[in-house]
Amino acid sequence: MLLVGWEALFFWLLTLAALFAAVFTVSAHNPVHCALFLISTLIATAGLFLLLRAEFVAGAQILVYVGGILVLFLFVLMLVNTRSEVENPFNRQDKVGAFIAVLVGLALLGAVTYTQQRGGFFKTKPSADRLAIENARPDPNAPAGVISADTETLGVTLYTRAVLPFEIASVLLLMAIVGSVLLARDRRQEETYD
Amino acid sequence: MLPLLVELPPLPTLRDTAFIMPEIILTLFAGAALVLDVALPRSKKHLTAYFSLIGLAFVAIALAQQVAMTASLLPISAFYGMLFIDGLSVVFRFVFIVAAAFSILYSIKYLEFEREQRGEYYALILFSTLGMMFVATSGDLIALFVSFELMSLSVYVLVGYFKRDKRSNEAAMKYFLTGIFSSALMLYGLSLVYGVTGHTNLGLISETIAGYVQGGTAESGDPRLLLMVALVLVAAGLLFKIAAVPFHMWAPDAYEGAPTTVTAFMSVGPKAGAYVLLARMLLFALAPMREMENLPGWAALLAVVAVLTMTVGNLAAVTQDNVKRLLAYSSIAHAGYILLGIVSGTDMGYQGVAFHIMTYTLMNTGVFAIIIALHRQGVIGENLNDLNGLFSRAPSAAVLMLIFILGLAGIPSTAGFVGKFFLFGSLIQSGKPWLTYIAIIAVLNAVVAFYYYARFARAMFLNAPSENIADASPLLLAPSVRITLTLSAIAVLFFGIYPQPLINVADIVAQSITTVYAQSSGIALR
């Protein structure tokens, strides 16, 4: 799928926004700024999901991550005094880390360029999942107001193909709750419950 | 109701659900252990441990029944290819159950002594075991990753279980940060694999990649370079998890700081889970990339890592005085040996991998059980000096320890020797000259390892008892622990002298790797 016209423009804008905001997230001195930059990254990613016509995922991204998790982050950061730890967000290994990151990035870029020159991707038979997504995609020439099948595809997949990982993830969440309570409660709370 | 816009695939049936019966039982018992903990008074909390052990027994029975019913049908795929049961999953699920049961059994006294006896501990071990069992039965990247995280997250919490102990906190933090970093690396690699192949099903990925590797022409596209990047990322994540050099730095700190019972568990259970994930990814999904035309495959990469891992692990272990750190480096070295079997790519190598992991589970938990028993009032029991004169104070414990240590060292007539023989022998058997050189390096490494394992024997049998130990209360093993240790020691000796029964079991794994994976399209989406 090649992006043309406005889609290409928005793709590059959103990608660059996401990337730069991600870099600022790790390099900003003030933790509140870090969280705000992370919000920018997530919103830009939501925009990328929209370009892929995954409206539901984009909406969920904004509702859950930006609206829920990041707002909690900000609350915690503002309640806890983090001033002592913001002097220098880098340590002695920043140069090595940057070098390795650049190396991996260049390797990826080179591999992608080479692959495109040699004939690109997806010349094999697409999988059932991919076909379902392709088929569910609305006709681009259809008039506005047509219901997208995206949400339905996701729901159906979640309860058929992905039902096993879905259930494992539910156990994972239960375990995470138990673990965080175990680590967070203090001696007095422990004695009350014992 | 609006009509559905997408076609509804057939829903999972009761037949599918029957295949995850052992896992369902384990989930129920883990949840019940949490509830039981709330219901029990403080003095009775240790009953949760026995309850968990009963749960594991039920899981083992359910698993045995599943094997009896489906042995001729293997490999089975269900849940749209998400679940994939073959010989490897059957054997390793038993290994996980044994590892979890041993860890729980050895923990009871230890936690009692530390006044940290709580049901959550046992529930977390069960949850981690559940994650491992799902890792062994997943046939899809999504299921594999989610279940692997279930396994790892439980262990992160367990490492920090002594939350008022500074070392435990530090170890948990280090383990958690490096662990999630490696998970992120692996996830990025997996996303690239999905991007290039368009599949998350391991069999379909393998099929697609085989097409790319064989006919990398302009017509079909040639994403092999991109696959290489994906492979390096996935391999880096996996090598982090098994603590292979150069991704081993977290292991000694995490092993030392964690509660000793948790160290015992994470050195066998989650470690074996990581090996299963490694086997699933490299020997199944990315199997066609073992050796490629004009490009280095993962066999070369893994060979370098294996040599580095065993050399660095063994040399670093020589200078250690803390037993837990020493065993951490020893487990790094053993990871190197196990990688050799995967590099060799022969039946014998895969048998060696399975055999070594099974016997390593017995030997390593055994060593840790004795270390745990040394931990008493006023004695941390983690220094090599704390073993001084153990033979004169507790002869039976010293003899058991000696058997396990000799097994880890790979002395002939112990099971450790047979495992090493298979692993090193497979390199020579493969007939490739460069693998023969690696076999020579491996044997030299095993000689270095004798030195630090011999230090255990010297401390226990030749050194005079240290004074501070003499004052401490005598070393007592609970009867159940003593029986389990004796049985493990007998097994280590028995399989060292007559290894055939265990080799047959290991062969089930080797067969499922070589034959089942060759016809990988058989487990495609149902």
Side-chain angles (χ1 to χ4, degrees), chain A residues 62-83:
Chain A
I62 294 197
L63 277 179
V64 176
Y65 280 96
V66 181
I69 296 174
L70 256 298
V71 170
L72 276 182
F73 264 39
L74 281 175
F75 267 122
V76 173
L77 286 176
M78 290 182 176
L79 286 176
V80 180
N81 186 10
T82 47
R83 199 159 292 276

Side-chain angles (χ1 to χ4, degrees), chain B residues 281-345:
Chain B
M281 285 312 298
L282 293 186
L283 297 175
F284 194 3
L286 303 177
M289 298 179 72
R290 174 186 282 277
E291 276 153 355
M292 288 185 291
E293 227 179 305
N294 309 328
L295 279 173
W298 57 254
L301 177 87
L302 221 56
V304 176
V305 171
V307 170
L308 278 177
T309 304
M310 55 192 183
T311 314
V312 172
N314 278 323
L315 292 182
V318 166
T319 56
Q320 300 301 322
D321 282 322
N322 182 302
V323 177
K324 280 159 88 178
R325 281 189 90 83
L326 198 161
L327 287 170
Y329 282 111
S330 133
S331 96
I332 292 172
H334 279 274
Y337 300 146
I338 288 171
L339 287 181
L340 292 179
I342 296 173
V343 170
S344 82

Side-chain angles (χ1 to χ4, degrees), chain B residues 487-500:
Chain B
L487 286 179
S488 318
I490 292 173
V492 168
L493 289 177
F494 176 78
F495 291 128
I497 295 162
Y498 181 62
Q500 198 54 45

Side-chain angles (χ1 to χ4, degrees), chain B residues 341-356:
Chain B
I342 296 173
V343 170
S344 82
T346 57
D347 255 5
M348 190 178 174
Y350 299 144
Q351 283 171 10
V353 170
F355 191 95
H356 197 72

Side-chain angles (χ1 to χ4, degrees), chain A residues 152 182 185 187 190 194, chain B residues 5 42 80 163-164 195 199:
Chain A
E152 215 165 76
L182 178 72
R185 61 181 182 178
R187 178 147 337 247
E190 272 167 19
D194 280 347
Chain B
L5 295 173
R42 182 168 261 259
Y80 311 93
K163 57 190 170 194
R164 276 170 278 276
H199 299 291

Side-chain angles (χ1 to χ4, degrees), chain A residues 108 111-112 114-115 118 120-123 127 152-153 156 160-161 165 171-172 175 178 182-183 185 187 190 194, chain B residues 4-6 9 42 80 82 118 120 127 150 153-154 160 163-164 188 195 198-199 216 220 222-223 225-226:
Chain A
L108 261 174
V112 170
Y114 176 85
T115 310
R118 290 292 297 269
F121 314 98
F122 305 133
K123 293 295 173 70
S127 71
E152 215 165 76
T153 316
V156 168
T160 54
R161 292 193 194 294
V171 179
L172 175 75
M175 176 263 129
V178 172
L182 178 72
L183 291 180
R185 61 181 182 178
R187 178 147 337 247
E190 272 167 19
D194 280 347
Chain B
L4 280 176
L5 295 173
V6 290
R42 182 168 261 259
Y80 311 93
M82 290 282 170
R118 264 184 246 115
E120 289 99 334
F127 278 131
L150 173 59
L153 279 174
S154 318
K163 57 190 170 194
R164 276 170 278 276
Y188 194 28
H199 299 291
S220 69
D222 183 16
L225 267 185
L226 203 54

Side-chain angles (χ1 to χ4, degrees), chain B residues 459-511:
Chain B
M460 287 189 299
F461 289 90
L462 300 180
N463 287 1
S466 317
E467 288 198 355
N468 60 333
I469 298 279
D471 299 337
S473 50
L475 189 133
L476 283 175
L477 291 172
S480 56
V481 174
R482 190 178 288 273
I483 293 168
T484 319
L485 278 178
T486 315
L487 286 179
S488 318
I490 292 173
V492 168
L493 289 177
F494 176 78
F495 291 128
I497 295 162
Y498 181 62
Q500 198 54 45
L502 209 55
I503 290 175
N504 291 341
V505 176
D507 193 48
I508 299 173
V509 177
Q511 288 309 316

